[in-house]
Amino acid sequence: MKVLVAIKRVIDYAVPVRVKPDKSGVEALIPKLSMNPFCEIALEEAVRLKEKGVAAEVVAVSLGPQHFQETLRTALAMGADRAIHVAAGSGSVSEPPQPLGVARVLAALAAREGAGLVLLGKQAIDDDCNQTGQMLAGLLGWPQATFASKLEAAKGDLRVRVTREVDGGLEVLSLPLPAVITADLRLNTPRFVTLPSMMRAKKRPIESASLEQFGLAAADVAPQLTTLSVEEPPGRQAGTRVGSAVELVRRLREEARVL
Amino acid sequence: MLARIGRATCVSASQRFLHVAVERNAAFGQISEKDVAFFEQLLGAGGVVTDPDALEPFNRDWQKKYVGNTKVALRPRTTEQVSELLRYCYSRRLAVVPQGGNTGLVGGSVPVFDEVVVSTAAMNRVLEFDEVSGTLVAQAGAVLQSLDEYAGQRGFMMPLDLGAKGSCHIGGNVSTNAGGLRLVRYGSLHGSVLGLQVVLPQPLAGAAGAGSGGGGGGGDGRVLDLLRTLRKDNTGYDLKQLFIGAEGTLGIITAVAIQCAPRPASVQLALLACPSFPAVTAALRTARRMLGEVLSAVEFLDSPCSHLATAHLEGVRNPLLQGGAAEGGGGGGGGEGVTHGSVGSAPFYMLVETHGSDADHDQQKMERFLEAVMGDGSVVDGTLAASEAQAKSIWRLREGVSEALVRRGAVYKYDVSLPTSSMYELVEALRARLAAAGFGADAGVLVVGYGHIGDGNLHLNISAPRYDDGLLSLIEPYVYEYVSRHNGSISAEHGIGLMKAQCLSYSKGPVAVELMRRIKEVVDPYGIMNPYKVLPPRPA
């Protein structure tokens, strides 16, 4: 079975950010970019499937500007067999590709590659959209299991069992393949990349693909949404002491409006 | 009245570290109600701590090895208050211990007897920051990590970093000339501190008529104002250098002006496994040659250190240690967060970090360096942090060793400077010596070495199930004599404090020690500033 994994390059999650003075977005205080943590978890899961013999090949794919290739190289070092870069976007970090465009490309690629499973992170930490996996499943007409915290698959099986984290607890689904699964935080802890793997990955090619090869045009991946403004949340107010239970109830009703 | 250091006056008597008998100086005054009343009037009730339970953290160090018996701890908020209370203590001959974050490792920041603790905890404001030059001026009680975050918001970083950064105060760092993880790149505080404001125990100038006592502005004569943000200032003796590393024995630092460095746009961190100590020094040589101007930290730890950190601390792991099966039905479980299919435990690990302005450039340099050291066999395995989270995880392994040692049991800690190429021989020699006397691994005794190999600084630690005088007598003075024979330093960065106050002569000759004594006598004739520490008393 071939497993496709979608990878996005984002501002490293540990880098402090602040709202830009013109409120058009956020900017990082240090220009450090890394693989989106949830994409990393998805890739780790795919590599483990290969190590267990369930997957025959892991293909990492990224849609975005030229510098996304750096992260694809990390994907190769982590254990992906192939890496495909689909060029799109202006190259500026503040204009990442949007979910619908990504989903269209992944749908076309999944069909072309004959993928049996597509693994994605549940969301990217820069836009927090949490839409790509769901849209992809819709476009392909495939079953989906999102927020996966556990994935059980055996070699040759036609179905997979996925445990999902939902508000009320855990939900277990059984899905026929091919399917789309998005990874949540507790699915696994991604491996560190060893130096030997890194050295080897440097020498391996990253395939380039263009939108035309999938029968898509630039308009199909152009942003659908425009950000109007980004603002900081209101600062946390200092707490106050109340003198009596009566006053507490009054203030909860009149000021906090929770009663 | 003889007092054994660390005779337990508080609950746990099992961790006492018996060292040298010191006698309380009978010339010092004793705290009375009148004194407490004065302090309360000066600092407000919130600035004076007298409750015995509340005094506990002021009285003992974080290793729980040194315990004093002060009856009062003070928390001034301004330099003027510090000046007033030092004036008062001087007039009453009350001994004083300046205390910052109390993270010191040589018992220098806690009272030996009933010395008054003057804490900088309430003096934590940033006073000034120049975004062009990167100079920062802050009160002495500012916590290092908060200053680093403050500087970080403005594109700068503090020029030093150490494991205790979340608790240590900049004043304490300066008083102890703290070294830390990035000295190899940003230099020591002797270079990065631009200015100081210090309160001296006795006035040296100003205030009409000596002895006119306190009252209002009488403190001016004892505030040594060297607080400048100038990079260059050759006007007379560079007095601030005296206080950097004086460990609170000459005065109380109340404000610090320091040169921050631009926050690097690119940080690369590699964790490497080396098959032997000569391999470690070979890798260090290669790092210096190939990473040169971007090298920002080089640390090493031996295999027992790595096991200690992973065994005793939550969520700390060594990414290079094989976990779970690399094939077949392995999956989940023990394979969490490790490299798969890597070698087993290596005898030594190194952290090599770079700070630079250009990620592509630094990555290329780092990759060429890694190819070189993998190629010549000085490194058998390694990993390059792919994200901040991975970098933090790798640092946690190295920074956690100290804490893990404290959790395991009793620790005897030594911090020495030795010639780099033969540094680890001390660890091996001591291990053999202790094992031969019955204090080997079977007895639960571990001898480990780690530290700032880029600075020639070894942290030698002996971990035992409990403190034992027999064990101590095998360690000291053997370690000091060994270091002395190799012309090393018995304290690379931790300082002298109480722990090594009798040992100064292993690293400094009689002329040097005598000159130190004379300076002390001029500045602090009554000897009230952090007594019993740093300088040995004159031989009778």
Side-chain angles (χ1 to χ4, degrees):
Chain A
M1 174 176 70
K2 196 182 286 194
V3 177
L4 199 62
V5 183
I7 308 280
K8 188 179 185 187
R9 194 174 205 223
V10 297
I11 294 174
D12 188 299
Y13 98 96
V15 162
V17 295
R18 63 176 168 221
V19 176
K20 286 193 206 171
D22 62 1
K23 298 200 174 170
S24 62
V26 300
E27 60 188 1
L29 292 172
I30 303 167
K32 177 150 178 93
L33 303 173
S34 310
M35 194 186 294
N36 181 42
F38 297 109
C39 298
E40 213 182 351
I41 293 171
L43 177 60
E44 172 67 26
E45 197 63 22
V47 175
R48 289 188 190 187
L49 285 175
K50 193 176 76 157
E51 286 168 349
K52 278 195 279 203
V54 175
E57 193 185 22
V58 173
V59 181
V61 59
S62 236
L63 171 74
Q66 194 63 14
H67 65 83
F68 272 42
Q69 293 197 17
E70 293 293 317
T71 312
L72 281 173
R73 204 159 290 290
T74 308
L76 287 171
M78 275 179 71
D81 297 292
R82 286 165 52 210
I84 303 175
H85 174 241
V86 183
S90 61
S92 114
V93 177
S94 57
E95 279 187 51
Q98 291 189 359
L100 184 54
V102 177
R104 285 181 175 141
V105 171
L106 288 176
L109 197 60
R112 185 183 87 170
E113 294 282 332
L117 180 63
V118 183
L119 279 168
L120 304 90
K122 69 172 179 180
Q123 65 199 59
I125 58 164
D126 50 5
D127 55 27
D128 278 337
C129 283
N130 188 357
Q131 297 164 357
T132 312
Q134 292 88 332
M135 288 177 171
L136 175 61
L139 289 172
L140 287 169
W142 287 7
Q144 62 178 278
T146 53
F147 312 118
S149 64
K150 192 161 157 197
L151 170 58
E152 292 161 88
K155 188 171 179 172
D157 267 5
L158 298 173
R159 301 183 74 90
V160 292
R161 257 167 86 89
V162 178
T163 305
R164 304 178 62 218
E165 291 193 3
V166 295
D167 285 347
L170 299 173
E171 181 182 66
V172 183
L173 300 181
S174 169
L175 301 145
L177 295 174
V180 173
I181 299 178
T182 73
D184 209 326
L185 192 62
R186 278 161 279 276
L187 181 59
N188 61 50
T189 307
R191 64 194 62 198
F192 281 77
V193 169
T194 55
L195 292 185
S197 325
M198 225 184 73
M199 303 296 169
R200 282 194 297 271
K202 271 179 51 183
K203 302 185 177 70
R204 288 165 58 194
I206 292 178
E207 298 164 37
S208 274
S210 66
L211 295 170
E212 289 68 44
Q213 288 172 266
F214 303 116
L216 294 168
D220 294 315
V221 301
Q224 309 271 308
L225 307 169
T226 313
T227 301
L228 296 177
S229 83
V230 178
E231 292 184 16
E232 296 230 357
R236 194 187 153 135
Q237 315 257 312
T240 57
R241 298 184 105 107
V242 293
S244 67
V246 171
E247 189 192 341
L248 175 63
V249 170
R250 180 185 65 75
R251 292 183 71 177
L252 284 174
R253 175 177 297 141
E254 291 170 13
E255 292 173 29
R257 297 185 192 281
V258 295
L259 287 181
Chain B
M1 176 195 88
L2 218 61
R4 307 286 285 196
I5 305 306
R7 164 58 54 85
T9 52
C10 62
V11 182
S12 73
S14 59
Q15 297 164 346
R16 293 293 62 98
F17 181 86
L18 233 42
H19 195 58
V20 145
V22 169
E23 209 172 302
R24 185 186 182 282
N25 187 333
F28 290 151
Q30 299 210 318
I31 283 284
S32 66
E33 297 278 332
K34 200 158 84 62
D35 300 320
V36 176
F38 173 84
F39 294 137
E40 280 175 351
Q41 194 235 359
L42 173 68
L43 304 175
V48 181
V49 182
T50 49
D51 171 72
D53 289 326
L55 281 174
E56 206 248 345
F58 295 97
N59 262 324
R60 64 145 177 76
D61 76 325
W62 83 269
Q63 292 181 100
K64 301 185 180 31
K65 264 167 119 173
Y66 298 93
V67 181
N69 196 14
T70 191
K71 303 288 186 270
V72 61
L74 305 175
R75 297 163 45 106
R77 285 182 310 283
T78 66
T79 305
E80 291 67 39
Q81 287 178 345
V82 174
S83 180
E84 260 306 288
L85 60 92
L86 261 197
R87 180 199 62 74
Y88 183 84
C89 290
Y90 194 74
S91 68
R92 286 272 295 119
R93 291 222 196 196
L94 294 170
V96 166
V97 174
Q99 187 180 94
N102 199 4
T103 55
L105 296 166
V106 289
S109 51
V110 291
V112 179
F113 299 102
D114 58 345
E115 301 91 275
V116 174
V117 171
V118 177
S119 166
T120 48
M123 300 174 58
N124 58 5
R125 288 184 305 119
V126 170
L127 299 173
E128 212 180 282
F129 186 82
D130 182 323
E131 308 225 358
V132 173
S133 59
T135 55
L136 172 79
V137 183
Q139 288 185 306
V143 173
L144 180 60
Q145 188 165 7
S146 357
L147 289 180
D148 191 53
E149 280 162 14
Y150 180 97
Q153 292 287 327
R154 291 150 181 81
F156 287 87
M157 59 176 271
M158 289 294 280
L160 78 162
D161 188 11
L162 43 154
K165 58 183 156 239
S167 310
C168 59
H169 296 185
I170 188 65
N173 290 146
V174 173
S175 288
T176 53
N177 191 24
L181 302 164
R182 301 223 164 70
L183 189 139
V184 72
R185 167 66 172 272
Y186 297 104
S188 94
L189 286 172
H190 281 294
S192 47
V193 168
L194 302 173
L196 289 180
Q197 182 190 64
V198 188
V199 177
L200 303 172
Q202 66 150 1
L204 289 179
S212 61
D220 295 345
R222 52 173 50 81
V223 175
L224 177 59
D225 178 18
L226 301 168
L227 204 62
R228 304 280 181 279
T229 54
L230 306 169
R231 200 80 196 87
K232 301 167 82 167
D233 182 17
N234 281 351
T235 51
Y237 302 155
D238 192 6
L239 295 173
K240 66 180 185 291
Q241 299 299 345
L242 256 184
F243 297 93
I244 301 173
E247 305 186 41
T249 55
L250 295 178
I252 300 185
I253 294 176
T254 48
V256 176
I258 192 163
Q259 177 67 63
C260 292
R263 200 160 201 96
S266 146
V267 179
Q268 311 292 327
L269 176 66
L271 175 67
L272 308 170
C274 299
S276 67
F277 195 74
V280 170
T281 52
L284 171 63
R285 259 202 330 273
T286 311
R288 282 219 165 95
R289 201 168 26 91
M290 297 185 77
L291 297 172
E293 63 276 15
V294 292
L295 191 61
S296 59
V298 193
E299 298 285 312
F300 93 101
L301 56 155
D302 62 16
S303 168
C305 286
S306 170
H307 289 143
L308 275 166
T310 50
H312 292 272
L313 298 173
E314 266 301 304
V316 173
R317 56 182 180 265
N318 184 331
L320 298 178
L321 285 179
Q322 193 162 35
E327 66 204 329
E336 298 304 317
V338 296
T339 55
H340 286 231
S342 53
V343 303
S345 176
F348 294 96
Y349 296 95
M350 283 178 83
L351 275 75
V352 176
E353 187 198 62
T354 64
H355 277 186
S357 53
D358 185 327
D360 292 330
H361 173 258
D362 292 352
Q363 254 157 21
Q364 277 179 40
K365 287 177 90 121
M366 184 58 113
E367 281 170 13
R368 278 200 291 268
F369 160 71
L370 293 172
E371 273 166 25
V373 288
M374 295 272 315
D376 69 19
S378 45
V379 167
V380 295
D381 196 8
T383 180
L384 188 57
S387 67
E388 289 285 306
Q390 286 192 347
K392 278 197 172 71
S393 184
I394 292 172
W395 272 116
R396 192 81 189 93
L397 179 69
R398 160 63 183 89
E399 289 183 298
V401 177
S402 202
E403 197 186 329
L405 283 163
V406 169
R407 289 195 190 200
R408 184 176 184 265
V411 193
Y412 295 97
K413 217 176 230 325
Y414 299 90
D415 158 57
V416 300
S417 279
L418 282 171
T420 310
S421 46
S422 52
M423 188 186 284
Y424 201 72
E425 285 168 18
L426 171 56
V427 181
E428 288 166 336
L430 186 64
R431 199 180 275 148
R433 177 183 165 86
L434 295 185
F439 288 104
D442 307 330
V445 174
L446 285 180
V447 180
V448 304
Y450 63 101
H452 316 294
I453 191 160
D455 308 328
N457 182 189
L458 171 73
H459 290 320
L460 166 70
N461 281 247
I462 300 92
S463 171
R466 70 201 69 77
Y467 289 107
D468 182 313
D469 281 355
L471 177 55
L472 178 58
S473 67
L474 286 167
I475 301 172
E476 290 183 26
Y478 176 81
V479 169
Y480 296 140
E481 285 169 357
Y482 183 106
V483 171
S484 190
R485 266 200 315 278
H486 289 81
N487 289 322
S489 165
I490 54 154
S491 180
E493 59 178 4
H494 291 171
I496 298 294
L498 179 65
M499 180 183 172
K500 301 173 202 174
Q502 306 299 321
C503 307
L504 202 49
S505 335
Y506 282 101
S507 290
K508 285 279 180 345
V511 175
V513 177
E514 181 56 27
L515 182 52
M516 290 186 215
R517 287 196 189 105
R518 303 263 180 112
I519 292 170
K520 165 83 169 165
E521 280 161 7
V522 162
V523 176
D524 180 21
Y526 290 165
I528 63 165
M529 297 305 306
N530 219 3
Y532 319 113
K533 297 171 187 157
V534 183
L535 296 176
R538 273 202 188 81

